[in-house]
Amino acid sequence: MKPINKKVAKVFISLVVIALVVGSLFAFVPMRFNSYTFTSIAAAINKSTDLSGGVYAEYELDGEYSTAKINNSISTIRNILEERGYPGASIYTLSGEKIRIDIGFEKATGSLKESYTLLSAIGIGTFELRSSTSEDDTYIVGNKHITDVTVNTYNSSIYVMLNFNDEGVEQYKKMLSASKTIYVYMGGQVMTSFSSENITASSSMPLSFASYDSAEDFAMKVKLGSMDVSLNSDTVCINTMSSTLSKNNFETNPNKSGFTTNITFIMGIVMIALVVVLGLAYLIWKGGVLGLFELLALAFDTIIAVFFIWAFPWVELSLSSLIAIALGYAVVLATSLIYISRIEEEFKQGKTITASLESGYKKSLSPVLATGIVLTVIFGVIAIVARAELRVFGLITCIFSCISMFNTTVMLPGFVNIFEAFNDGAEKPYRLGNKGEVKDEK
């Protein structure tokens, strides 16, 4: 980077301070403006049940099913939960007789309402279409006749399309011939009814809705009611639970302190702190003031990472996410070490500190960018193709890989450039060893 004078350096210092203060306020500090409360960006990031309290539900299987059918149904539930912002949900069977789901709290309101509503919908029971209110007039059964459910828009109208298999098409035709009113049932309970006078029999049935949210909600219920397994809607158990490895893992009252005292979260934060502290300590020992500038750069890196993670609403932080964050900081510190090492090499060749900073920066660009790009591609692919927690792991590591390139090619050299405007080429602050050490050995 080209040297700057003191006047320009002072302007940059002012901008850095303003950016750091404003970014920190929005990222970490909750604020209140009159009647409006602004939740910090960091607090708005969802946490999975191994880091915070959540809600669990147990559903009894309404019959005996093969492992394949149970696994297919679990996959359907997982997809729906991911669409609703719970990618870290834990779903598993209990002795082949029940399905259990653990999800974190809904964060937008800070209440249990959405979590309970979502889990209640999963246990709503089998989807059916009838020509009357009698069970004998059931023509369409979700897990027998429906192959797919989609939400479409046409001429500003919103439709849910129920797509049938061959048997379903025949049953659909019979139902339209039997009655001009179709009744929608979930778990044996009538949900709604509508006229079928203007509906023509085909391989799919369109249902019109007033809003996209109501259409999405109905489509979700049809998907759940059309799974390979049927859940007994009369025996659903839903309750709150404390986080994994909390002070009291069996605490169900979210108002008690034991509910949120989380050993897993503390362990994760300690792990991240160790990576950062040890890495910075080594950089300060090796590069003096360069390590201190990396500390400032990490403050900005953290703010940037928080904003990027928050920007993906489907992300739920878990223990694996904290491991990804620790790995991300390690990547950032490692690329900074490449930059500092190149400067040290140049300085030991007998160059002045100003020349060493310039040539060291140029020689560090290729390895820093190569490392960052390779890691970004690898973890970016994982974020795209993986599922659940592994997808979040890939995304977070990908974010930090991108940040590492920005950190080492822009921020850290920029802070050094500002410092040099006042340092006038003094060598002592950099702790780079003896000048010309390599040259003398030759």
Side-chain angles (χ1 to χ4, degrees), residues 9-237:
K10 289 177 181 178
V11 173
F12 277 117
I13 290 173
S14 300
L15 293 176
V16 167
V17 172
I18 293 172
L20 184 60
V21 171
V22 174
S24 298
L25 285 175
F26 280 96
F28 304 109
V29 181
M31 294 175 283
R32 186 176 181 85
F33 303 98
N34 296 324
S35 59
Y36 178 76
T37 300
F38 173 80
T39 302
S40 68
I41 299 299
I45 298 174
N46 293 340
K47 299 181 182 66
S48 66
T49 54
D50 57 354
L51 295 185
S52 68
V55 183
Y56 77 89
E58 293 182 359
Y59 311 88
E60 286 189 8
L61 299 179
D62 198 6
E64 295 184 3
Y65 299 93
S66 66
T67 302
K69 288 188 174 182
I70 293 175
N71 289 338
N72 286 339
S73 298
I74 288 177
S75 179
T76 299
I77 295 172
R78 190 181 303 282
N79 289 335
I80 290 173
L81 290 176
E82 287 186 1
E83 292 172 0
R84 293 284 169 145
Y86 296 94
S90 177
I91 311 173
Y92 49 95
T93 60
L94 299 174
S95 303
E97 299 176 353
K98 294 181 179 181
I99 290 178
R100 173 165 171 140
I101 303 173
D102 301 338
I103 65 174
F105 287 136
E106 194 275 319
K107 298 299 180 182
T109 61
S111 69
L112 300 174
K113 182 179 179 180
E114 183 166 323
S115 299
Y116 269 103
T117 302
L118 182 57
L119 292 178
S120 297
I122 292 175
I124 203 166
T126 302
F127 171 77
E128 297 173 332
L129 293 178
R130 302 179 183 180
S131 61
S132 72
T133 55
S134 172
E135 187 176 356
D136 295 334
D137 292 324
T138 301
Y139 285 86
I140 298 294
V141 179
N143 55 11
K144 293 182 179 179
H145 303 125
I146 293 180
T147 59
D148 190 26
V149 183
T150 59
V151 178
N152 301 321
T153 57
Y154 180 74
N155 289 339
S156 301
S157 298
I158 303 169
Y159 296 92
V160 172
M161 300 295 294
L162 306 182
N163 301 304
F164 305 115
N165 57 22
D166 292 341
E167 182 183 351
V169 171
E170 295 302 317
Q171 290 293 100
Y172 181 35
K173 292 178 181 178
K174 293 178 182 179
M175 181 175 62
L176 293 179
S177 300
S179 174
K180 296 300 181 182
T181 302
I182 295 177
Y183 296 85
V184 179
Y185 275 76
M186 290 284 191
Q189 302 294 321
V190 64
M191 289 185 62
T192 186
S193 62
F194 56 91
S195 173
S196 61
E197 291 185 3
N198 297 322
I199 298 179
T200 303
S202 66
S203 61
S204 61
M205 182 176 75
L207 297 175
S208 178
F209 286 82
S211 69
Y212 196 85
D213 287 342
S214 60
E216 282 279 354
D217 186 64
F218 181 80
M220 177 191 73
K221 291 177 179 178
V222 175
K223 290 177 183 178
L224 292 168
S226 304
M227 295 188 300
D228 288 342
V229 304
S230 296
L231 305 177
N232 191 330
S233 58
D234 297 327
T235 59
V236 178
C237 173

Side-chain angles (χ1 to χ4, degrees), residues 337-346 356 360 363-364 367:
L337 178 60
I338 294 174
Y339 169 67
I340 294 174
S341 297
R342 294 295 183 271
I343 294 173
E344 182 183 28
E345 290 172 3
E346 295 300 302
S356 299
K363 290 186 177 181
S364 68

Side-chain angles (χ1 to χ4, degrees), residues 393-409:
F393 182 95
L395 174 66
I396 291 175
T397 315
C398 180
I399 289 172
F400 272 95
S401 298
C402 294
I403 290 174
S404 72
M405 291 185 283
F406 179 69
N407 173 92
T408 312
T409 61

Side-chain angles (χ1 to χ4, degrees), residues 1 335 337-349 351 355-371 408-409 413 442:
M1 287 189 172
T335 54
L337 178 60
I338 294 174
Y339 169 67
I340 294 174
S341 297
R342 294 295 183 271
I343 294 173
E344 182 183 28
E345 290 172 3
E346 295 300 302
F347 182 74
K348 288 184 176 181
Q349 293 293 333
K351 296 181 181 179
S356 299
L357 290 172
E358 183 176 352
S359 57
Y361 171 74
K362 291 178 180 179
K363 290 186 177 181
S364 68
L365 280 177
S366 294
V368 166
L369 292 176
T371 302
T408 312
T409 61
K442 290 182 180 179

